[in-house]
Amino acid sequence: MYNGVVVLGPTACGKTAVGVGIAARCNGEVVSADSRQVYRHLDIGSGKDLGEYTVATAAGDRLQVPYHLIDVAQLPQEYSVYDYQQDAYRALASIFQRKGLPVVVGGTGMYLDALVRGYDLVRVPTNETLRQELAGMSMDELARRLRAVRGALHNNTDLTERHRLLRAIEIAEFQVHGGEVTAADMPPRPDFRPLVFGTTFPREQLRRNITARLRSRLKEGMIQEVQAIHDSGIAWGRLERLGLEYKFVAQFLQGKIAGEDEFFFQLNRAIGQFAKRQETWFRGMERKGVKIHWLAPGTVEQRIDEAMAMMAAQGLAV
């Protein structure tokens, strides 16, 4: 019934370690589902922690677990859900060809949904004429334009940032005006039937994890990382659009946030709010029919053992 695994959860819950551990025991390969880890040079702030992909074996050796869709895009490229789905389908196909077990790990809801529920995504070309027409409009005017074309909006994420709103209008207008999509535009869809695991912690523990991890990343040089990326030619606005760590560090370095204490407070709170939104997204996936098997809070090894037992019961362990 199943031929793959998904490990999802909010930020700072240890899902990468759980996913890598499963892959290490099952001839598996990890497919990352993180919207910022796709970018090169976003290392500390995105929490790539590539050392986690090297694990100790029972024999005392060190095993390098293969991973995919980390460091595949350059800033200032805007890597889309369509780009991710295309790349993920190619990664899944290659893993199946090697007789491996794909283990998708991440917390970016749109990426996970695109794979698990198989979004029908197509590449919509940039419409420069439309972009010029929209250039002088306010955010409220753009939102009204989107509603006029698309009708009721099921979520408001496209209304929060100008570049997302412009792209949403562009896609909606393309669809309304009968933009042609050929079979060649549709991504080849591998037969991916994953057993989906969720992992998280009680709210207070998750908050503590978020705070401790933020302190650790700051000690590792997260502020210096963002400064170096900007010095390489990436505009502050592009960094702010990446959200969370990159947004708040960019604002701090520009003097938009006064003082280190206020910076830490605002960023720590924003990450906690983001974790809540992630969990809300996962509940939405469940309402739409995705069965998520939530692992009991515990150590990484305990969660891996629980997942492995369930996989064995489903005939999935390799």
Side-chain angles (χ1 to χ4, degrees):
M1 181 176 179
Y2 300 107
N3 63 358
V5 169
V6 169
V7 180
L8 57 77
T11 189
C13 71
K15 56 186 173 290
T16 299
V18 173
V20 169
I22 292 171
R25 296 192 194 183
C26 298
N27 186 36
E29 301 183 27
V30 171
V31 179
S32 174
D34 188 292
S35 62
R36 296 185 303 171
Q37 291 187 9
V38 298
Y39 292 107
R40 299 183 183 95
H41 309 302
L42 303 189
D43 300 328
I44 301 172
S46 73
K48 284 177 185 169
D49 300 327
L50 297 182
E52 287 191 298
Y53 292 88
T54 303
V55 298
T57 67
D61 301 322
R62 304 294 290 175
L63 173 66
Q64 176 65 48
V65 174
Y67 58 83
H68 305 265
L69 304 194
I70 294 177
D71 290 338
V72 296
Q74 288 278 17
L75 290 170
Q77 176 188 350
E78 298 277 1
Y79 190 88
S80 68
V81 179
Y82 174 87
D83 295 323
Y84 176 79
Q85 189 187 56
Q86 287 274 42
D87 288 343
Y89 281 173
R90 282 190 284 269
L92 291 172
S94 69
I95 295 169
F96 286 138
Q97 189 174 34
R98 289 188 291 275
K99 308 299 183 185
L101 180 76
V103 181
V104 177
V105 180
T108 299
M110 287 285 285
Y111 284 11
L112 293 162
D113 244 356
L115 290 187
V116 175
R117 298 204 299 123
Y119 285 6
D120 288 325
L121 299 176
V122 296
R123 186 177 295 282
V124 175
T126 301
N127 186 334
E128 294 295 347
T129 301
L130 177 62
R131 292 284 178 124
Q132 292 175 13
E133 178 187 343
L134 302 176
M137 292 187 179
S138 67
M139 289 289 286
D140 287 341
E141 290 171 326
L142 291 172
R144 287 195 293 272
R145 174 70 172 261
L146 179 60
R147 290 191 176 95
V149 179
R150 186 185 288 178
L153 302 180
H154 299 294
N155 67 71
N156 293 322
T157 56
D158 286 332
L159 305 180
T160 59
E161 297 177 5
R162 187 176 184 87
H163 76 285
R164 295 182 64 169
L165 189 46
L166 290 170
R167 183 59 177 163
I169 295 171
E170 197 167 53
I171 293 170
E173 298 252 359
F174 179 85
Q175 294 169 332
V176 165
H177 295 298
E180 292 188 8
V181 177
T182 67
D185 294 316
M186 300 298 291
R189 182 171 297 165
D191 178 26
F192 182 50
R193 292 169 276 112
L195 184 61
V196 182
F197 295 112
T199 184
T200 189
F201 288 111
R203 182 71 58 194
E204 286 304 316
Q205 184 175 351
L206 197 60
R207 287 198 188 105
R208 290 194 296 271
N209 289 356
I210 288 169
T211 299
R213 191 184 64 177
L214 177 55
R215 293 190 190 282
S216 175
R217 288 182 179 178
L218 288 169
K219 288 180 181 177
E220 290 173 27
M222 185 171 70
I223 292 176
Q224 292 82 357
E225 174 181 87
V226 177
Q227 182 67 64
I229 294 170
H230 173 66
D231 291 344
S232 74
I234 304 301
W236 289 124
R238 179 67 183 99
L239 286 164
E240 290 185 23
R241 289 202 302 275
L242 292 167
L244 294 178
E245 290 88 351
Y246 294 97
K247 172 184 176 180
F248 282 87
V249 173
Q251 292 179 341
F252 174 68
L253 289 171
Q254 294 173 82
K256 295 181 179 179
I257 301 175
E260 293 183 7
D261 290 344
E262 180 63 18
F263 157 70
F264 186 91
F265 171 77
Q266 288 191 25
L267 176 52
N268 194 47
R269 180 180 60 184
I271 298 171
Q273 293 168 341
F274 173 65
K276 288 184 181 179
R277 293 196 299 274
Q278 287 178 295
E279 293 185 323
T280 298
W281 185 285
F282 302 144
R283 288 195 296 271
M285 289 176 65
E286 290 180 301
R287 287 194 298 271
K288 294 169 185 173
V290 177
K291 176 63 178 175
I292 301 177
H293 303 272
W294 289 97
L295 304 174
T299 66
V300 169
E301 287 301 317
Q302 287 170 336
R303 286 178 282 169
I304 293 171
D305 288 342
E306 182 183 353
M308 291 295 298
M310 195 175 303
M311 289 166 62
Q314 297 292 339
L316 184 58
V318 177

